[in-house]
Amino acid sequence: MLLEVNRLEISYGDVRAVHGVDFVVEEGELVSIIGANGAGKTSILNGLMGLVPARRGSIRFHGQEITAVPAHKRAHGGIRLVPERARVFPRLSVFENLLTGAYGLRKKIDLDGRLRWLYELFPILEERRDQPAQTLSGGEQQQLAIARALISDPRLLLVDEISMGLMPKLVDQVFDLLQSLNRDLGLTILLVEQNARASLEISHRAYVLETGSVVMEGPAKDLLNNPDIRKAYLGLAREEEAKRQ
């Protein structure tokens, strides 16, 4: 088991955002957590990354208890986060942004080799290597945020609302990329998304989150075909009703 979360609770002051959530991610899986805006998805990722403290519960990564481990040590241990809306360092160059992803690593990586691989994966980043990140388009900044997380050769990639603010064509591209990283490289990915259809289509398993609690879980294909999920999250009920009339 790569990631095991038990009875996780996260609060902001007196407001509880996550209520006793349980879930697991096996090594090599692509798992989604879907839910509406405000359901607590981002809070879960922030808790896993150590950016907000867990009020209660347990987080185990590769068999080790990390609930109280600081965020930088979780990053050094192989957990990396792709935050929503990219959040690159706007005044740093593309190259400098990439280097921040390797800062402080304890394990040795072939930095030049990783950069060559990332430039093959994202050619626009090599083309704009010396430009400030703030000059990139939204889609290009999203590519940079993914590349920055990948440069460290992580064991677990946490991806937060990767489709937010992107044009439909770019949404398809980034989901294709995540699927390729998982399928072809075996990278373990935990994806949280409002775009339920796109995330379920590329995932092995999924959890449905409502107001901070998991209300349903199972194979992604089963959830994709579940009438309740289709009605609540996929916007398909009206389309199917129209076809029957």
Side-chain angles (χ1 to χ4, degrees):
M1 191 77 65
L2 185 62
L3 179 69
E4 185 175 3
V5 177
N6 292 306
R7 309 304 299 166
L8 180 65
E9 293 187 12
I10 295 174
S11 298
Y12 300 94
D14 295 332
V15 179
R16 279 205 301 170
V18 178
H19 308 270
V21 164
D22 299 316
F23 64 90
V24 298
V25 180
E26 299 277 3
E27 193 148 13
E29 279 193 308
L30 199 169
V31 175
S32 287
I33 299 177
I34 64 172
N37 186 35
K41 304 185 301 301
T42 293
S43 293
I44 287 176
L45 290 195
N46 287 339
L48 296 179
M49 196 69 242
L51 301 177
V52 296
R55 181 181 180 184
R56 291 191 181 87
S58 170
I59 303 170
R60 297 183 66 83
F61 179 63
H62 206 249
Q64 300 295 315
E65 177 70 40
I66 64 167
T67 311
V69 171
H72 70 279
K73 291 187 176 180
R74 300 188 200 196
H76 294 165
I79 304 175
R80 287 294 164 128
L81 171 66
V82 179
E84 63 177 321
R85 297 189 184 277
R87 293 187 185 176
V88 297
F89 297 104
R91 296 185 180 181
L92 296 184
S93 70
V94 167
F95 176 67
E96 290 168 335
N97 265 274
L98 291 174
L99 292 186
T100 65
Y103 178 77
L105 281 182
R106 294 180 181 176
K107 69 176 182 179
K108 292 184 178 180
I109 62 170
D110 177 5
L111 185 58
D112 289 338
R114 296 295 291 179
L115 284 168
R116 285 194 299 271
W117 173 65
L118 289 170
Y119 286 150
E120 290 176 3
L121 200 60
F122 306 103
I124 193 65
L125 299 184
E126 182 174 25
E127 179 182 328
R128 306 196 175 180
R129 180 180 187 276
D130 298 319
Q131 291 183 214
Q134 63 188 358
T135 66
L136 302 182
S137 69
E140 291 163 353
Q141 289 188 25
Q142 194 63 273
Q143 291 180 53
L144 178 56
I146 297 170
R148 183 180 60 193
L150 292 176
I151 197 170
S152 64
D153 191 20
R155 300 193 65 178
L156 173 63
L157 189 67
L158 308 176
V159 184
D160 189 7
E161 300 285 9
I162 197 169
S163 68
M164 185 175 292
L166 295 183
M167 297 183 297
K169 181 179 180 180
L170 293 176
V171 170
D172 292 340
Q173 290 177 2
V174 294
F175 276 100
D176 287 346
L177 171 63
L178 292 179
Q179 186 174 39
S180 176
L181 290 170
N182 172 256
R183 181 188 60 224
D184 301 335
L185 301 180
L187 178 61
T188 307
I189 299 174
L190 177 62
L191 169 67
V192 305
E193 260 294 334
Q194 289 187 63
N195 189 334
R197 186 205 299 257
S199 57
L200 290 175
E201 284 177 346
I202 67 169
S203 298
H204 297 108
R205 295 186 301 106
Y207 296 84
V208 182
L209 197 69
E210 290 184 2
T211 58
S213 300
V214 172
V215 296
M216 195 178 299
E217 62 182 271
K221 288 184 178 179
D222 291 351
L223 293 179
L224 192 60
N225 293 316
N226 183 293
D228 293 333
I229 299 299
R230 291 167 70 85
K231 181 179 180 180
Y233 297 102
L234 305 185
L236 299 180
R238 291 183 180 179
E239 296 178 16
E240 293 172 351
E241 182 66 26
K243 289 179 182 178
R244 288 195 293 266
Q245 291 178 352

